[in-house]
Amino acid sequence: MKKAELVDKIAASAKITKSQANDALNAALETIKKALKKDGEKVTLVGFGTFSTVKRKARTGRNPRTGKEIKIPAMRVPKFSAGKAFKGAIK
């Protein structure tokens, strides 16, 4: 499902316009991004899951074209852990 399809489903389910659904979705995603950008902050949606960040250590990788070793720097990456109710709904 693409974002446009998700907006259509949200609009139909909430009985709002597609424009309002798009604005609501964009606001929710932007708020999650801003919260994760703050160091160590998590966003928990009960029944759905938790968005957080984890730190990856610096490591050595390989360039697939040349096979040459490259250094990959340490960085923070986003992580999502599905909630129990969400996992149960998918089974």
Side-chain angles (χ1 to χ4, degrees), residues 74-87:
M75 64 180 77
R76 282 188 325 152
V77 294
K79 176 184 171 186
F80 175 75
S81 299
K84 186 177 179 182
F86 184 51
K87 286 180 188 176

